Amino acid sequence: MPNALYDALFKPHQNNSAAFLRTPDQADYSYQQFLALAAQIANTLVAAGTQPGDRVAVQVHKSAQALALYAACVQCGAVYLPLNTAYTATEVEYFVNDAEPGVVVCNGDAHDALAPIAQRVGAKVLTLNADGSGTLSDAAATTLTTFATVDRTADDLAAILYTSGTTGRSKGAMMSHKNLLSNAQTLVDYWQFSESDVLLHALPIYHTHGLFVASNVTLLAGASMIYLPAFNVDQMIEQLPASTSMMGVPTFYTRLLDDARFDRQRSAHMRLFISGSAPLLAETHEAFEARTGHRILERYGMTETNMNTSNPYDGERRAGTVGFPLPGVSLKITDPETGAPVARGEVGMLEVSGPNVFRGYWRMPEKTAEDLRENGYLITGDLGRMDEDGYVHIVGRNKDLVISGGFNIYPKEIELVLDEQPGVLESAVIGAPHPDFGEGVVALLVASDAIDLEQIKATVAGCLAKFKQPKLYFVIDELPRNTMGKVQKNKLRDAHANAFKPG
Ligand code: AMP
């Protein structure tokens, strides 16, 4: 019995001495070297007691070793569970309790905070630092550079990626070998990736975009990556002439455009710029074309489904749209109340089905049943319409999601913290247009007593990741509500639409 994902993404490269990862500040890795490292990590995970199907929770900085840890999990049949590096120990505790991993891999400086949390679920803790050092690497260095790949079926899980829940509880999206592989195959073909591609990779690898879209596509095509630890405009501009392609969130594009060094000549060698994870403003699309001559290719996806739609490679890349359903992906636009398809051009709920659609939420059958219909269609929570030429336009989100700098933020989670603060009667958290982050988090507080905003900010900083912390606070008299008692966030958004505008 084979291991579909390993056999397609990794195994073909076992004797490939071509470059895979180019890390400007550290050593480069050929495919062969990368796979030897992955095999050593797989040996280490198995020595730590990892069995097929066990979860391996990973909260580490981006490094070659961190990506090899993903490959190692695939090879030894474990379920890779990456966590945002910004999460606090309190936040990580929820994921560890929910997923019950056999191994937790964390940064050395988080060891003492996470060890007792891991211990309570019987997980072993290994460390991996940004420079690749740590107890994981120490142990791996003593093992063989080969590993007998563990068999898996196409429906076995390869990864669990947590998405935040609108009710404040995060949900673990279960991704099978088939889900990941089918999407990578579609994207390599659709975006015409080949082994001559060099992808400029500045995305985080705990999220589907940087992990599956970017890395799986590169691996399947046998291409290479210039692998940066994070987005840094100087490094991006420096590395562009050596790259052929880039995947980014809209913020990457606005930041590049803000720098006068970024010009036509710098991007002359580029074949393709791709954007996703949040809406790319049509004006950014146009400014980018005016500056570079390139039309950004915008696509739409989500953790639960990988990629669903994309603008065409050869045809017209239409600004403000996310293009067409990808081959193999079936998209319906339905009435959110009845589930019946709406007429072409009308706004409705986007629903998708295909081999890319996940296997449900980890240990949450009732949530899975709410979102995933029996006929295989996932109710995405995104509202959109299809124009007369078949291009999909995303017009809003049914959920209350705020997307800031490409990160999804669910207001409820922040509101729960704010509501508990002294002097706060109730709160509402919204996203307001932000020139750099797309949206910025704004908190509206209703007071029951004297409010100490500095104290509240300090408490919030102690328990929520930085990207979730409100950038602005306003104390208001009352929250607008409809007759059903629901807070009318659209009214709050309108009232604070200019909150981040200068002047
Ligand atoms: P995530 O699960 O973090 O990948 O977030 C998925 C959500 O991001 C989707 O449900 C959409 O709301 C949003 N999204 C992703 N790509 C786009 C895009 N190109 N335009 C607008 N929204 C997007």
Side-chain angles (χ1 to χ4, degrees):
M1 200 169 60
N3 176 320
L5 203 54
Y6 192 84
D7 292 349
L9 297 189
F10 303 104
K11 196 175 165 194
H13 304 301
Q14 245 150 13
N15 300 313
N16 183 352
S17 57
F20 171 47
L21 291 184
R22 306 178 195 193
T23 51
D25 301 331
Q26 289 171 24
D28 289 355
Y29 280 82
S30 68
Y31 267 103
Q32 250 171 347
Q33 288 168 322
F34 179 79
L35 290 185
L37 177 62
Q40 289 186 305
I41 297 177
N43 282 313
T44 309
L45 291 175
V46 170
T50 305
Q51 302 275 339
D54 282 357
R55 278 74 57 212
V56 174
V58 178
Q59 191 192 32
V60 297
H61 291 293
K62 188 175 168 185
S63 66
Q65 288 78 2
L67 195 62
L69 180 51
Y70 159 56
C73 287
V74 175
Q75 193 172 18
C76 74
V79 180
Y80 184 67
L81 195 165
L83 294 168
N84 190 325
T85 43
Y87 286 145
T88 63
T90 318
E91 288 166 317
V92 172
E93 184 171 14
Y94 165 76
F95 301 111
V96 169
N97 288 339
D98 191 52
E100 296 185 311
V103 174
V104 173
V105 184
C106 66
N107 204 46
D109 62 14
H111 177 274
D112 291 354
L114 296 188
I117 293 169
Q119 211 171 21
R120 281 196 283 279
V121 298
K124 293 224 167 63
V125 183
L126 292 164
T127 61
L128 177 60
N129 301 313
D131 64 1
S133 65
T135 57
L136 175 70
S137 300
D138 291 346
T142 66
T143 67
L144 291 177
T145 55
T146 54
F147 180 88
T149 304
V150 171
D151 289 347
R152 298 272 81 190
T153 68
D155 284 333
D156 278 330
L157 298 190
I160 296 178
L161 262 61
Y162 275 86
T163 68
S164 300
T166 40
T167 53
R169 278 196 75 196
S170 289
K171 296 174 283 184
M174 300 190 288
M175 310 308 297
S176 70
H177 281 238
K178 183 173 77 188
N179 294 152
L180 302 181
L181 181 55
S182 63
N183 211 238
Q185 285 165 332
T186 301
L187 297 177
V188 165
D189 200 39
Y190 206 76
W191 295 337
Q192 300 189 16
F193 271 84
S194 74
E195 49 186 42
S196 51
D197 265 300
V198 182
L199 181 78
L200 186 51
H201 190 302
L203 292 159
I205 58 162
Y206 49 73
H207 184 268
T208 188
H209 195 167
L211 181 63
F212 298 141
V213 189
S215 308
N216 286 356
V217 162
T218 303
L219 284 156
L220 191 66
S224 65
M225 297 197 254
I226 297 179
Y227 192 67
L228 304 179
F231 181 89
N232 169 299
V233 81
D234 294 335
Q235 272 186 323
M236 296 296 281
I237 286 173
E238 194 183 297
Q239 298 297 336
L240 268 172
S243 314
T244 64
S245 46
M246 177 187 139
M247 294 184 191
V249 294
T251 313
F252 285 14
Y253 292 103
T254 52
R255 289 196 180 165
L256 283 170
L257 283 170
D258 281 346
D259 198 302
R261 293 172 297 170
F262 178 64
D263 59 11
R264 194 171 279 257
Q265 207 200 328
R266 287 260 153 202
S267 45
H269 185 244
M270 291 291 284
R271 174 179 77 81
L272 182 61
F273 288 96
I274 301 176
S275 177
S277 289
L280 181 78
L281 295 179
E283 64 198 50
T284 308
H285 197 284
E286 282 144 23
F288 198 87
E289 186 178 15
R291 179 87 67 88
T292 67
H294 286 281
R295 285 181 76 78
I296 299 173
L297 184 154
E298 185 171 6
R299 94 300 180 278
Y300 155 71
M302 61 194 297
T303 301
E304 291 91 331
T305 61
N306 301 289
M307 299 304 100
N308 293 315
T309 74
S310 172
N311 270 280
Y313 186 79
D314 285 323
E316 186 199 344
R317 299 177 194 166
R318 202 171 276 186
T321 82
V322 293
F324 309 115
L326 284 163
V329 176
S330 168
L331 180 133
K332 287 201 290 193
I333 304 185
T334 59
D335 182 320
E337 302 297 320
T338 65
V342 298
R344 175 70 72 100
E346 277 180 23
V347 171
M349 172 67 71
L350 301 186
E351 297 191 23
V352 290
S353 80
N356 55 312
V357 174
F358 78 148
R359 305 220 43 218
Y361 294 114
W362 171 258
R363 290 182 180 165
M364 285 189 177
E366 66 302 330
K367 291 269 179 228
T368 304
E370 264 172 39
D371 292 347
L372 193 55
R373 295 186 191 277
E374 271 176 18
N375 62 8
Y377 277 85
L378 176 78
I379 303 167
T380 62
D382 292 310
L383 299 171
R385 66 182 173 86
M386 190 181 269
D387 67 22
E388 61 284 2
D389 300 321
Y391 287 82
V392 176
H393 300 237
I394 302 211
V395 299
R397 296 181 295 264
N398 206 30
K399 358 173 205 187
D400 257 339
L401 196 66
V402 177
I403 303 185
S404 188
F407 289 120
N408 285 359
I409 298 161
Y410 287 86
K412 191 81 194 166
E413 191 186 1
I414 305 165
E415 290 161 4
L416 289 172
V417 173
L418 295 175
D419 289 348
E420 282 188 12
Q421 303 312 308
V424 175
L425 177 66
E426 59 177 351
S427 65
V429 166
I430 55 165
H434 188 288
D436 196 15
F437 294 104
E439 287 184 303
V441 177
V442 175
L444 294 316
L445 305 177
V446 178
S448 59
D449 208 332
I451 286 186
D452 181 348
L453 273 184
E454 289 318 310
Q455 182 57 48
I456 290 179
K457 286 180 196 169
T459 310
V460 165
C463 61
L464 290 176
K466 181 116 176 90
F467 69 88
K468 297 180 194 168
Q469 295 167 21
K471 297 191 195 311
L472 287 176
Y473 286 80
F474 295 98
V475 179
I476 58 175
D477 290 340
E478 60 175 8
L479 299 179
R481 286 197 149 84
N482 68 12
T483 45
M484 303 299 289
K486 289 195 200 303
V487 176
Q488 292 166 301
K489 287 207 166 168
N490 51 337
K491 290 199 172 163
L492 291 173
R493 282 189 209 107
D494 290 346
H496 294 88
N498 295 325
F500 293 106
K501 290 249 168 77

